[in-house]
């Protein structure tokens, strides 16, 4: 697969978001199946694997990191691993999705990095993100500690998730930021206003939910159902029955381009994103080898500037439902 530079790291143009193997998309995948999938991903050409200490199950809150640690241990020198700190779930709330609890105190981060290193069976983490801003800890303090961890060799780079320009500049002034990980898709474009500052500062953009939680794969319809107790899609606005009609023009747009190109809607959605900037890396997730191969194939789909202009113009004007993560 082609590669891209995000900050000081070189990674596969499409990364693999691993959260869904353990959390939020139904019951966790068993270790054997997930290990086979992760190693197959590496064979296909994925070199960038994304996880977090909080991605787990009620029985094993660190399931995902443990899974990656075991699966990637034999090929650790050939892959980049990103994980995250500073967040936990309130699993006792009775709410789905679980409410979030931020904690980026220095002592918590120190405990987190040691736990992640142990579970990932590695001596360093390639990219270490603050998962969510902690209102009680200035981002400058977090950035300073990240600088210490880089000097100690425990991380190669660091990043922030779902932040604004002011926060990026404050953090970067203390310890250069490698990458920002924000939600981004054809349905979620509100962080495009950060592109100029990322270009200016040489920071990469890692896009999570690049297919709008799978909606833009065009493999679901108004009759699709999800387990309310384990699958967040059951409550996501784009997967409600009435939303399919609201999003009909969007789906037709990507279907038509995919048909013309003999590709798939998912590949067009990812290729569109790759064409926006050379330092954007989407990290779609999946549990299926066929989807791994399909998503990887998007790195070879090159849309023309005219096609991108047409898509962007239509995205600015066609109606869409709300999408999970939308603030207004």
């Amino acid at each position: 697969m082609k590669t891209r530079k995000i900050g000081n790291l070189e990674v596969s143009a499409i990364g693999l978001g691993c959260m869904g193997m353990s959390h939020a998309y139904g019951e966790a995948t068993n270790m054997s199946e997930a290990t086979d999938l992760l190693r197959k991903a590496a064979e296909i050409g994925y070199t960038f694997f994304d996880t977090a200490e909080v991605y787990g199950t009620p029985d094993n809150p660190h399931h995902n990191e443990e899974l990656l640690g075991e699966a990637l241990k034999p090929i650790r020198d050939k892959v980049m691993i990103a994980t995250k700190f500073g967040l936990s779930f309130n699993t006792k709330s009775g709410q789905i999705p679980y409410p979030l609890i931020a904690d980026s105190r220095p002592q918590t981060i120190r405990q987190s990095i040691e736990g992640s290193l142990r579970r990932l069976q590695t001596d360093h983490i390639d990219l270490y993100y603050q998962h969510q801003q902690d209102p009680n800890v200035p981002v400058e303090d977090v950035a300073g500690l990240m600088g210490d961890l880089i000097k100690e060799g425990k991380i190669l780079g660091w990043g922030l998730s779902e932040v604004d320009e002011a926060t990026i500049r404050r953090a970067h002034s203390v310890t250069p930021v490698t990458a920002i990980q924000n939600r981004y898709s054809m349905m979620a474009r509100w962080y495009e206003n950060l592109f100029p500052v990322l270009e200016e500062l040489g920071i990469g953009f890692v896009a999570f939910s690049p297919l709008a939680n799978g909606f833009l794969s065009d493999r679901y319809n108004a009759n699709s159902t999800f387990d309310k107790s384990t699958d967040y899609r059951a409550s996501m606005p784009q997967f409600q029955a009435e939303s399919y009609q609201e999003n009909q023009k969007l789906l037709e747009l990507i279907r038509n381009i995919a048909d013309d190109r003999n590709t798939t809607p998912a590949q067009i959605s990812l290729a569109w994103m790759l064409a926006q900037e050379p330092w954007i890396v989407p990290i779609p997730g999946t549990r299926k080898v066929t989807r791994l191969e399909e998503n990887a194939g998007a790195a070879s789909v090159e849309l023309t500037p005219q096609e991108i202009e047409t898509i962007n113009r239509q995205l600015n004007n066609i109606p869409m439902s709300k999408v999970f993560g939308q603030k207004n």
Side-chain angles (χ1 to χ4, degrees), residues 26-304:
E27 294 290 342
T29 309
N30 72 58
M31 286 287 190
S32 176
E33 290 179 3
T35 296
D36 289 345
L37 185 75
L38 289 164
R39 290 181 180 170
K40 180 62 176 178
E43 291 176 13
I44 291 170
Y46 289 86
T47 64
F48 189 37
F49 296 81
D50 182 88
T51 183
E53 66 171 342
V54 76
Y55 296 159
T57 68
D59 295 331
N60 183 356
H62 304 300
H63 179 275
N64 208 242
E65 283 192 334
E66 291 178 0
L67 170 61
L68 264 68
E70 191 64 30
L72 299 178
K73 184 178 180 180
I75 53 172
R76 179 65 184 95
D77 61 336
K78 297 179 175 63
V79 299
M80 296 279 183
I81 298 176
T83 192
K84 310 175 192 75
F85 65 88
L87 197 63
S88 62
F89 292 117
N90 181 359
T91 58
K92 298 179 181 179
S93 66
Q95 300 178 42
I96 299 292
Y98 297 130
L100 304 174
I101 302 170
D103 183 357
S104 285
R105 292 173 296 171
Q107 62 268 34
T108 302
I109 296 174
R110 285 286 182 182
Q111 291 172 354
S112 292
I113 186 71
E114 295 305 327
S116 290
L117 289 170
R118 182 179 65 255
R119 290 185 292 270
L120 290 166
Q121 301 187 49
T122 185
D123 62 355
H124 74 278
I125 290 164
D126 301 288
L127 181 52
Y128 200 41
Y129 295 105
Q130 183 184 24
H131 208 156
Q132 181 173 293
Q133 291 295 290
D134 184 340
N136 298 312
V137 180
V139 73
E140 290 87 349
D141 293 354
V142 175
L145 181 50
M146 293 301 106
D148 292 341
L149 294 178
I150 291 171
K151 291 174 185 176
E152 294 166 20
K154 293 184 176 180
I155 66 174
L156 299 186
W158 81 288
L160 300 155
S161 184
E162 297 210 89
V163 289
D164 58 18
E165 178 178 344
T167 303
I168 293 168
R169 289 190 181 279
R170 287 167 54 201
H172 191 79
S173 69
V174 177
T175 300
V177 175
T178 304
I180 302 301
Q181 183 175 132
N182 286 355
R183 185 182 304 275
Y184 186 42
S185 73
M186 287 182 171
M187 298 183 74
R189 300 173 61 200
W190 46 84
Y191 286 116
E192 288 182 342
N193 61 358
L194 293 179
F195 289 177
V197 68
L198 299 181
E199 176 73 30
E200 173 193 339
L201 300 178
I203 298 172
F205 187 102
V206 176
F208 74 85
S209 297
L211 297 175
N213 308 98
F215 183 85
L216 295 173
S217 68
D218 196 24
R219 296 185 179 276
Y220 303 94
N221 57 50
N223 296 318
S224 299
T225 59
F226 307 97
D227 186 340
K228 292 182 180 180
S229 66
T230 59
D231 197 320
Y232 286 11
R233 287 173 294 186
S235 62
M236 290 181 182
Q238 69 268 37
F239 288 102
Q240 303 310 301
E242 62 275 11
S243 295
Y244 290 90
Q245 186 59 42
E246 290 183 73
N247 293 313
Q248 191 60 36
K249 289 186 178 180
L250 171 61
L251 294 174
E252 288 176 357
L253 170 65
I254 56 177
R255 280 177 199 148
N256 291 338
I257 299 171
D259 288 344
D260 289 343
R261 287 300 203 102
N262 195 30
T263 59
T264 68
Q267 289 174 329
I268 293 301
S269 298
L270 294 171
W272 165 84
M273 183 173 294
L274 292 171
Q276 301 302 311
E277 298 290 352
W279 32 259
I280 293 177
V281 176
I283 51 168
T286 187
R287 298 184 179 195
K288 299 179 180 179
V289 172
T290 53
R291 298 287 83 78
L292 272 181
E293 295 170 337
E294 178 183 3
N295 293 340
S300 299
V301 178
E302 295 187 7
L303 299 174
T304 67

Side-chain angles (χ1 to χ4, degrees), residues 1-5 10-15 44-47 274 281 296-302:
M1 194 191 306
K2 296 177 181 178
T3 62
R4 291 192 158 204
K5 290 291 292 293
E10 185 171 352
V11 300
S12 52
I14 306 287
I44 291 170
Y46 289 86
T47 64
L274 292 171
V281 176
S300 299
V301 178
E302 295 187 7

